Amino acid sequence: QNNSSYMKFCKDTLADILKEVILIYDKDDKYNKIELIIFANELICQVEKDEKVVYRREMEVESDIDLVIGFNTKYLISLLDFFDNKMLDLYLTDDLSPAKIQTEDRLAVIMPIRLI
């Protein structure tokens, strides 16, 4: 996957977390971003509002990268819905480059958002 690292995760577990996150945001929250902290085969999903962590949940993943990256929660849910597989690989280069999920028959790309 040319210079990219990966994170293998359970699609349903991450989708459940993202659905909980959507409930945190008001309709006014333009970006509804989630911060993903990938470290030592663990994924920490958290939301900050007014510089305070208002949501935090952890899940086990398999990864070969340590990275903090942000995504629009709604876009990430839509991306996961596109796949039928239970386990997915998210390919990442860095916190500002497009991330990719690819299976035998499908490919999806999502742009991260700045966390600061």
Side-chain angles (χ1 to χ4, degrees), residues 32-45:
N32 60 65
K33 63 185 170 191
I34 185 164
E35 181 176 351
L36 302 182
I37 303 162
I38 308 162
F39 179 72
N41 290 325
E42 180 176 53
L43 173 64
I44 300 168
C45 304

Side-chain angles (χ1 to χ4, degrees), residues 37-55:
I37 303 162
I38 308 162
F39 179 72
N41 290 325
E42 180 176 53
L43 173 64
I44 300 168
C45 304
Q46 72 179 26
V47 173
E48 289 185 25
K49 283 179 124 184
D50 302 320
E51 299 181 19
K52 293 180 188 161
V53 174
V54 296
Y55 178 88

Side-chain angles (χ1 to χ4, degrees), residues 9-63:
F9 63 95
C10 175
K11 178 184 92 167
D12 293 340
T13 303
L14 185 56
D16 289 345
I17 290 171
L18 296 173
K19 289 171 187 166
E20 288 177 3
V21 167
I22 288 291
L23 299 176
I24 292 170
Y25 285 104
D26 303 322
K27 290 181 176 43
D28 311 351
D29 285 328
K30 187 175 174 184
Y31 297 111
N32 60 65
K33 63 185 170 191
I34 185 164
E35 181 176 351
L36 302 182
I37 303 162
I38 308 162
F39 179 72
N41 290 325
E42 180 176 53
L43 173 64
I44 300 168
C45 304
Q46 72 179 26
V47 173
E48 289 185 25
K49 283 179 124 184
D50 302 320
E51 299 181 19
K52 293 180 188 161
V53 174
V54 296
Y55 178 88
R56 181 179 174 102
R57 191 150 154 214
E58 300 170 14
M59 65 182 274
E60 285 185 33
V61 297
E62 179 183 315
S63 69

Side-chain angles (χ1 to χ4, degrees), residues 4 10 15 37 65 81 97:
S4 60
C10 175
I37 303 162
I65 190 171
D81 286 344
S97 297

Side-chain angles (χ1 to χ4, degrees), residues 53-105:
V53 174
V54 296
Y55 178 88
R56 181 179 174 102
R57 191 150 154 214
E58 300 170 14
M59 65 182 274
E60 285 185 33
V61 297
E62 179 183 315
S63 69
D64 67 351
I65 190 171
D66 295 335
L67 182 69
V68 178
I69 190 167
F71 290 105
N72 177 302
T73 308
K74 290 178 184 175
Y75 294 166
L76 194 51
I77 287 173
S78 295
L79 181 131
L80 295 181
D81 286 344
F82 181 65
F83 293 94
D84 298 326
N85 304 45
K86 182 172 174 50
M87 297 299 291
L88 294 173
D89 287 331
L90 178 66
Y91 294 97
L92 304 152
T93 304
D94 57 49
D95 63 336
L96 296 177
S97 297
K100 172 174 86 168
I101 294 179
Q102 185 172 7
T103 61
E104 309 76 44
D105 60 343

